[in-house]
Structures are given as structure tokens and as C-alpha cells.
Amino acid sequence: MRRRRIWIGWTVLAAALVTAPGAYAAQLINGAGATFPYPIYSKWFDEFHKKYPDAAINYQSIGSGGGIRQVLEGTVDFGASDGPMTDEQLAQAKVPILHLPTVLGAVVATYNLPGVEKLKLTPEALAGIFLGKITTWNDPALVKENPTAKLPAIPIVPVHRSDGSGTSFVFTDYLSKVSPEWQKSVGSGTSVNWPVGIGGKGNEGVTGLVKQTPNSIGYVELVYALQNGLPYADVRNRAGRYVPPTLASVTAAAAAAAAKMPEDFRVSITDPASADAYPISSFTWLLIPSRIPDKAKGDIIKQFLGWMLSDGQAMTTPLNYAPLPPAVIDMERRAIDKITVGG
Amino acid sequence: MTRGSYRRRLLVERLMFGATIVAAAGTLSVLFFLLGYIAYQGGSSLSLSFFTHLPTPVGEAGGGMANAIVGSAKLLVAAALVGTPIGFLGGVYLAEYGRGPVTSSVRFAADVLNGVPSIVLGVTVYGLIVLPAGHFSTLAGGVALGLIMIPVTLRATEEFLRLVPDSLREASLALGAPQWVTIVRVVIPAGLRGIVAGILLSLARVAGETAPLLFTAFSNRYWSEGWLQPTASLPVMIFTYAIAPYDDWHRQAWAAALTLLALVLGANVLARLVLRRGIALGRAS
Amino acid sequence: MLQRPAVRDAGTRSTVSPRGAQRAPRPSPYGRRPSRFADVTFRGAAFTFALSVFVITATIGVELWTQSAQARAAFGWSFLWTSVWDPVELHFGALPFIYGTLVTSLIALAIAVPFGIGAAVCLAELLPPSIADPATFLIELLVAVPSVVYGLVGVFVLVPIVRTLGGPVSDVLGWIPLLAGPVYGIGLLTAGILLSVMIVPFIVAISREVLLAVPQSQRDASLALGATRWETVWHVVLPYARSGIVGSIILALARALGETMAVTMVIGNRPQIVASLFAPAYSMAAVIANEFAEATSKLYVSALIEVALVLFGITIVVNALARLMIAGMRTGRSAMA
């Protein structure tokens, strides 16, 4: 009998320990979505938590498709996506969803080709590789633009996203603009019917696959290639120049759009006309409901957004994201003020 | 038997038995390789910070999985609360009262539930609990895991109660005890070892489940308060970190795998030890 | 000399049934009324929990059926043999996933069955119990290793091995469609090999028990007729245990069909049907795991739930088959598999 009491005692104690809130009583806010900006978001949320320990923003990078879906179903407090929501998706929302841009980033073509440090790709070549029309690295189309590179006669392994992805949206949006065949047979979206290639989950998964698979090429956000020491290609833009993805070239891509930013911030900046622009750049957005019933959560979200537009923007360049253009920041502050909080 | 020299038949015997030894040795060596490799990779990545720190931002070192370890513990508690009563009492019914179509359909349902892939259970719990509640939660994850526990616990309870000899029941009834007292104070204590072993094994099984947690408990970079918030868990962290490209995350994934493996194998060994003591006529203790 | 076995009548049902005893209640210190009430209550509670198992399983089936209604209405039976999976055009067909699931499971069985039955024969017929028992225990520990841990080892150990070894094999034998390149390392073969490691313990454990249950008289008779020990195993013991062994194989198959995490990490996530074993593919469980949280249109979600429904249906059938065959062979031994 005594042994049973001891067992019960331990169980109760364990349950209490496991359930007790403890000294850590922060307000938890859940967000999910894009893997594209995950490196800067995880830095931001960590720094914000250090500055305001009462606020804990738990962001899970599950892909833009997941962010859109979960914010529509209301299972997270906010979403994130680099593919703007379509009108049909917006219509499904119970509360109107705002797109608030956070940073600018570049989608780069990263590859695993030992011995080839620099690759130059035309838009047609990129489309051809992912359409399955260009199958080996020493294809004439590639050799023509890269005469000095040691391109082997080995099949190319394209790597794409297996999950719903804003990065995929940006990449396929670009390919649809530069390749009529791509536009006709595949189209653009967060999930498409890829003609060839293997699938990785998240920017993380694609980077991992490219890193481990020789002769592969995938599309990822710039930071992922940099953080993992993977080379990436220069892409020829509409003006005919080969532009590497840098902070300057990404900012140049956004310049024209920033001047005439629509009210809802949904804009695509792929394939811009500017000569200095990197052609596969994109804004990335936080998907915030315009009415947040929970006052505590709403206040923290608005506070974070304000912090993000001031202190947060200063943290972008060390992580190789481009900050937002000043005109966009001003517009966004006005939009944030319109978010209503509380019942 | 065929004609042919006896020597040839002996040779065939030696060859075939040799092949079976290769098969057994091969299977065992895979196990040893698996355990050894995980021990090596995980052991070299284990550190105090792994057990005490929260995850750090991408690319920064020093992160740990403290919240995932606690999260997994909480999920197991919730799963046990859901799965054990249903499995245990259901098994009691099947063993002590069961007869007729209800019993067979319950048994069939338990077999079906046992075979349902855990991802399908996660999808169902997402639709039934997460969506109406409006958020991911430890509770939803616990329910999904508890559902997986039910068939194993039920089967173990039923089998071990059936193994208790009828003479015990008859003796108790002959002394005037009602049936429920017989079951609760005589039969169940007698079969308790097997039932405990079954519960331990089912807990060990759900401790490693990842798929159902993806849509129910989700994940969390911070501590999870109470039961209604998403929570990190060891299996989900292993999955997330394993497919990412960061070497630091890979090391943490190995450490987590070693931790999880140690817990799961430890529970299995414990369960077998409990069983091996035999289905003894347990003392009331 | 036949003796009455020792009094451990486990498994024999006595003629004096507990229910019979209840028909003639005796005066008891607990009193008649309270005990009847307590009996009824306890039985009712146990019945409720037992019934809840049935209700839960039925709810899962109903939930899957209703949530997949939109996809079923849109595609009908052709869902099962369409191989297009296009989230943009909203054309969905489950054939690539059914293909991937079946092929990986078959590869897994092709490897696990010879190894499993061979190991079981060794452990049951060759080795003395003092070695065989611990060895079986160790092999059964493989069942306990979580799927995601298998996936982890698969990604970092098996994939490079398949890539390094498969490359030359494909170069030489690539004219056979089954072995055509390119070899990525991830793909059907890798997933199949990983699955085989995961399911082999089922076959070993159950087959060994089944072999041990074959009466010694059968072996003795065969040996007495002049057969070698191997011939006895091959011609007498194995056929006698056949249904149990087949049951264990089907059980292993059921487990392989539903495996999610390990397969997702090494199969390549590409919905296609290609003859080569080295080709990346997709399985039903893997596509649900990857795409469910992110499917943004109702039809897309419904299609994924229909895939779950198909998987549910297949595993029910296979599991039922397995249990039937094993139950036919086993006699009252504890079945914690």
C-alpha cells in the first residue's frame, strides 16, 4: 500500500512539474510560413524577445504555402509568404489579411559542380534546365555563355521544392515571364507540376540536397547558399547584363516597384527593366489579420511590426537581405496603424 | 528422398544453414551498426547546452533542445492519459466480459486502429481538434499519440488478463466477492506485470512518432506553457534539423536521436524485464 | 509416461464459468444490492471504453470519407489510375503515390523475407536457446527504433552509399530499365532498403515463434525417415508453419505501407512513375506529410485526404489478412507484435 502511495506521489509531482508555468510567463504568439526569410526572421524574433522578454514569437518555417493555409484557417496568429496570396485565397479569409513587406531577397540558382566557381546563366538556359530540355552540363547553350568553365558531360540534377513555397512562386513567376514555353506548360504558383527534378522540403531541404548531390542545381534564397558555402550563378537580366545577386542589385530590382507600390503591397519584382537589377528578386510579406481580437497578442504584433521597420531593418544587411525602400516603410507604417486590436 | 550421394545432401545442408547464419548475423550486425553509429555521432554532439538551452537563431551556435525534451515528456503524459484508460478498460472488458458481436467488432476495430498509419491519425486529429480549437496544441498532439497507444495497450491487457487462470476467479467468487471486486482486486493484480509492460512498450512506441505531431503539436522555439500551446518535441526537431543544411543542426539532430533512442530502448528493456519476471500471482503491494 | 501437467491451467477455460456463478448469487459480505449496482456500473464503464475504441476507429473512417468528398466527386474512381499531380491546374491522381508505396514495400519485402526467414530458421532450428533468446530480443529492439531515426541514418549513411555504389552499377547495367540512371542516392531503392531494415524484425520474431511451435514429432518423423536436418526444415517444418510465416510477411508489408518519416527523407519526393529503381518517387504517406499543412485550395486538401483514405483502406485489408493468417497458426501465445 505504501509503495502505491509513493508511486502516486511521484506521478503527481512529475505532472505538476511538467504542467507548472514556472517563472517564464511570456505571451506566446504563433506564426508560420516562408522559409525564404527564415534566417532574418529567426534573428528578429530572438532579438525582439531579448528586448521584450514578455513577448515570445514562435515562428515555424514550413513554407509559404503552409503560412497562407494556416493563417486562412486561423490556426496561427500570423503567416508569412514570398508568394502573395491570390484573390481567391484572400476571399477565403474570415478577416481581411494584410500583406506587410519585411525585406527584399534574391532567389539564386545554386549548384554543386566541383571545379566550376562561376556560372553564367541566361533566362532561356534556366528555363531549359528546369523544363528538362537541357539535360547535361556540357549542353551547347551552357557552354556558349561559359566558355572557360569545365562543364562535364554529366546529367544535370535539378532540385525543386516539394512543399508549397513562395520561393517556388518567385522562381516560376520569373520563368513564366522569360519563357513562353514555361508559361504554357507549367505556369507559376507556390506548388507546380515540375517536369523534372527531385524535391526538397523548404529552402533548407533544397540547400541540403544540392549540398549532398553532385551535379545538381536548385533555386534557394541567397542567404542559404551563402551560409552553406554553395556557389550560385549570375543571371542575365532583361537589359542583357549578367548581374550577381547582391544587396545593391536586389534593391535596384525593387526601385521601380517601390515608386508605384500598390495599396495592398502585393507586387512582383521579377524580370525588371533596370540594368543593375538582379532579375529574380522578391519582397517577402508577413500576413497579418487586419483585426486581432486578442488585445495582448495584437499589441505585441503591432509593437513588433513597428520595431521591425526601425531596428529590424538595420539587421538585414549583415544577413544579406536588402532593407525595404524608405517609401515602402512610410506606406507600411500607415497600414500598420489601421490594424484594429481588441474586441 | 532423392537418390544422390549423402555427401551432396550434407553439403547442401551446410550451405543452407550457413546462409541462415549469414542472415541472422547480417540482421544483428545491422542493429549493432545502427546503434553504434548513432552512439558515435550523437555522443560526440551531446553537451550540457543541448539539454539546457533553447534553440538559437539560424546559424548561431550554442542552441539546444531543452524545450523539445520537456515537450516530448508532456506529450507522453497526455498520450498516456488518453490511451491508457481506454486501452486498459477496453482490454478488461474484452477479457472478462466479452462475448458476442460487440466484442469481435471492438477487437477488429482495435486491429484496424493499430494498422492505421500515424500520419492518417494526425490528419484526422487536425480536422477534429486543431481546426475547431483554432490553434495547434500539446493536447492535440497528446490525443493523436494516445490514439496510437490504444490498440497496443488493449491487446496487451486482454492477452495478459486471459492468461490469468480461471481458478483464481473461481476462488474469489466462491469466497463471495462480486465480479467487479474479483476483477479489480484479484485478476488485474495477477496480470499487472504484462499490462505494465504493454503500457511501457506503447509509450516507447509513441515517443518516437513524428508524423502525427506535424499537424497537431506543430513545434515551438520557446517553452510551451500548459497544454494549449504548440510544443517542440524530439522527433519533430530531429526531422526539421536533419533535412536542413546547417552542420550545427545536424549535430543536434544526432544528439537528439541518441537521447530518443536511449529512452525508447531503455523502456523496451524495462518492459521485457518486467515481463520476464513471469505472469506471477502478484502480491498486493 | 504421460503425467497430468502441473497446475498452470493458462488457456483452458473452466466449465464453471464466472457468468454461471453469478446466476446463483450467494450472500456476501458486500451485500446483494450494492454489489449488483457496482457490478453493473463497472461492467458498464468497461463496456463504454471498449465501445469507444470502435467509435474512434469509425470516426476516423467517417472523417476521412467526408473530408475527401470534394475530391471524390471531382475525380471519381479515375483518381486511382491518374498519374498527374498538378496543384496549379488542380488535376490530382494518386497513381504515382500508389506506385511508390507498392514498389518500395515490394523491394523491402524482397530483401527482408529471405533475411527474415533465414534468420528465423537459424534462431529456431540451429542455435541453442541460450544464444537464440538474447539474439531474438536484440533483433526485436530494431522495432523500437523510431522511424525518424531510421530516416536520419538513411540520409547520412545509406544515401551516399547508394549513390557511390549505384553509379558504377548503373553505368554498366543501365541498359536494363530497372537499373537505369541517373543515380541520385535518394529514390525507390534507398527507401526500399531502409524499409527492409525496419520490417525484418517482424518477420524474424513471428516466424521464429511459429517455427518453435511446430511439434517436435514432425521433425523426429522426418529425421527418422533419413532426411538431413536441412531437408527436414525445408520439406517439413517450413511448410507446416507456412501460414504463420506468410502472416508475418503480410504484417511486415502492412507496416511498410504506412511508414512515413523514414521514407519521406530518402525517397526523393517526386510524383512520377519510372521503371528504374534508382529513380526518385513519392509514397502516399510521404505526400501527405509534405503537402498537407500547405495545401491552399479546398480541392487540394480534399485530394490529399482522399490519398489518406486510400492508404487507410489498403492497410485495413492487409492487416486483416495478416491477422487471419497468424491467428490460424498461433495458439494462445501472447501477441504483442
Side-chain angles (χ1 to χ4, degrees), chain C residues 225-302:
Chain C
L225 287 171
T228 63
R229 279 171 62 209
W230 169 255
E231 285 163 354
T232 305
V233 167
W234 187 253
H235 292 283
V236 176
V237 180
L238 281 177
Y240 195 97
R242 186 175 38 213
S243 67
I245 294 180
V246 171
S248 78
I249 295 176
I250 301 181
L251 194 69
L253 173 66
R255 170 76 192 257
L257 291 173
E259 238 343 295
T260 314
M261 301 315 293
V263 173
T264 308
M265 290 160 93
V266 300
I267 199 171
N269 301 335
R270 182 158 179 74
Q272 67 176 6
I273 301 178
V274 174
S276 168
L277 290 177
F278 293 118
Y282 227 153
S283 77
M284 290 189 272
V287 71
I288 301 172
N290 274 328
E291 301 191 4
F292 184 74
E294 305 143 0
T296 40
S297 72
K298 294 253 184 277
L299 185 60
Y300 194 177
V301 176
S302 187

Side-chain angles (χ1 to χ4, degrees), chain C residues 1-5:
Chain C
M1 184 65 183
L2 288 178
Q3 274 190 338
R4 224 167 158 244

Side-chain angles (χ1 to χ4, degrees), chain A residues 62 69 157 191 194-195 197 199 212, chain C residues 88 163 184 268 270 292 294-295:
Chain A
I62 60 175
R69 160 92 173 278
V157 183
S191 281
W194 295 95
Q212 292 161 10
Chain C
V88 174
R163 191 187 306 134
Y184 304 104
R270 182 158 179 74
F292 184 74
E294 305 143 0

Side-chain angles (χ1 to χ4, degrees), chain A residues 1 18-19 21 24 28 30 38 42-43 45-46 57-58 60 70 73-75 204-205 207 211 224 227-228, chain B residues 57-58 60 74 126 130-131 134-136 218-222 225 227 229-230 243-246 249 283 285:
Chain A
M1 208 45 199
V18 151
T19 328
Y24 188 98
L28 186 74
N30 294 303
Y38 185 57
S42 67
K43 179 95 185 135
F45 296 130
D46 195 60
I57 304 184
N58 168 34
Q60 294 297 322
Q70 301 303 329
E73 300 203 307
T75 44
E204 302 90 341
T207 314
K211 204 170 171 180
Y224 287 88
Q227 279 182 340
N228 293 278
Chain B
V58 159
E60 289 179 26
K74 284 169 74 170
Y126 176 78
V130 175
L131 278 186
H135 55 84
F136 300 102
F218 209 40
S219 191
N220 199 334
R221 307 291 288 176
Y222 302 98
E225 309 283 332
W227 301 95
Q229 288 178 356
I243 58 178
Y246 311 107
W249 280 18
R283 312 181 320 273
S285 54

Side-chain angles (χ1 to χ4, degrees), chain A residues 163-238:
Chain A
D163 51 329
S165 156
T167 316
S168 288
F169 174 82
V170 176
F171 190 61
T172 53
D173 178 60
Y174 170 73
L175 288 179
S176 298
K177 285 183 184 167
V178 302
S179 162
E181 193 181 345
W182 181 275
Q183 162 80 329
K184 199 163 39 115
S185 50
V186 184
S188 71
T190 53
S191 281
V192 299
N193 195 7
W194 295 95
V196 288
I198 52 182
K201 192 164 167 51
N203 266 294
E204 302 90 341
V206 173
T207 314
L209 274 178
V210 170
K211 204 170 171 180
Q212 292 161 10
T213 314
N215 312 306
S216 57
I217 181 169
Y219 59 91
V220 295
E221 208 285 325
L222 174 62
V223 175
Y224 287 88
L226 288 171
Q227 279 182 340
N228 293 278
L230 291 174
Y232 45 90
D234 292 346
V235 182
R236 195 178 65 194
N237 63 14
R238 212 201 293 180

Side-chain angles (χ1 to χ4, degrees), chain C residues 27-89:
Chain C
S28 83
Y30 295 89
R32 201 185 298 184
R33 266 200 194 281
S35 81
R36 281 294 301 276
F37 173 74
D39 264 338
V40 168
T41 316
F42 183 77
R43 183 193 172 123
F47 177 74
T48 312
F49 279 95
L51 201 60
S52 69
V53 176
F54 183 79
V55 168
I56 288 172
T57 313
T59 308
I60 296 174
V62 165
E63 175 82 1
L64 287 178
W65 184 262
T66 49
Q67 297 298 325
S68 63
Q70 193 179 356
R72 280 184 292 110
F75 305 116
W77 286 105
S78 69
F79 189 74
L80 293 176
W81 54 75
T82 311
S83 58
V84 173
W85 188 261
D86 191 341
V88 174
E89 298 294 319

Side-chain angles (χ1 to χ4, degrees), chain B:
Chain B
M1 291 289 127
T2 56
R3 275 190 300 136
S5 76
Y6 184 61
R7 205 163 280 159
R8 185 167 59 94
R9 288 161 61 204
L10 265 187
L11 182 64
V12 166
E13 176 183 85
R14 290 229 174 88
L15 273 175
M16 296 311 289
F17 276 147
T20 62
I21 293 181
V22 165
T27 315
L28 274 174
S29 57
V30 165
L31 172 76
F32 287 133
F33 170 74
L34 211 64
L35 295 182
Y37 193 78
I38 296 171
Y40 167 66
Q41 290 279 21
S44 53
S45 320
L46 278 180
S47 62
L48 195 59
S49 65
F50 173 79
F51 289 105
T52 52
H53 286 186
L54 291 177
T56 49
V58 159
E60 289 179 26
M65 289 200 194
N67 58 342
I69 296 174
V70 171
S72 275
K74 284 169 74 170
L75 283 168
L76 285 179
V77 168
L81 287 173
V82 168
T84 317
I86 300 180
F88 177 65
L89 286 172
V92 166
Y93 181 82
L94 287 184
E96 300 300 312
Y97 299 101
R99 195 171 279 188
V102 172
T103 313
S104 348
S105 47
V106 169
R107 234 180 245 131
F108 178 68
D111 269 342
V112 167
L113 192 56
N114 195 29
V116 173
S118 54
I119 186 96
V120 174
L121 284 172
V123 165
T124 317
V125 174
Y126 176 78
L128 289 175
I129 298 187
V130 175
L131 278 186
H135 55 84
F136 300 102
S137 58
T138 313
L139 188 65
V143 167
L145 294 182
L147 291 183
I148 302 177
M149 276 184 71
I150 291 175
V152 185
T153 314
L154 188 140
R155 195 156 251 272
T157 309
E158 188 194 350
E159 296 275 352
F160 283 98
L161 287 182
R162 275 176 179 275
L163 283 175
V164 174
D166 267 344
S167 50
L168 278 183
R169 293 183 184 83
E170 289 159 16
S172 168
L173 291 167
L175 287 172
Q179 193 176 10
W180 73 274
V181 172
T182 304
I183 297 174
V184 170
R185 307 215 48 185
V186 176
V187 180
I188 289 179
L192 198 58
R193 288 195 189 280
I195 298 172
V196 166
I199 295 176
L200 266 177
L201 284 177
S202 57
L203 274 176
R205 174 168 162 194
V206 298
E209 287 285 347
T210 320
L213 296 178
L214 293 174
F215 319 126
T216 51
F218 209 40
S219 191
N220 199 334
R221 307 291 288 176
Y222 302 98
W223 296 107
S224 169
E225 309 283 332
W227 301 95
L228 296 179
Q229 288 178 356
T231 181
S233 55
L234 278 176
V236 171
M237 293 297 263
I238 296 176
F239 178 60
T240 312
Y241 280 17
I243 58 178
Y246 311 107
D247 288 325
D248 183 54
W249 280 18
H250 291 167
R251 277 195 294 277
Q252 288 189 45
W254 284 113
L258 181 61
T259 313
L260 193 57
L261 203 58
L263 287 170
V264 165
L265 290 184
N268 263 276
V269 171
L270 190 63
R272 310 273 164 155
L273 279 177
V274 167
L275 257 187
R276 212 138 286 204
R277 296 277 191 81
I279 302 113
L281 310 176
R283 312 181 320 273
S285 54

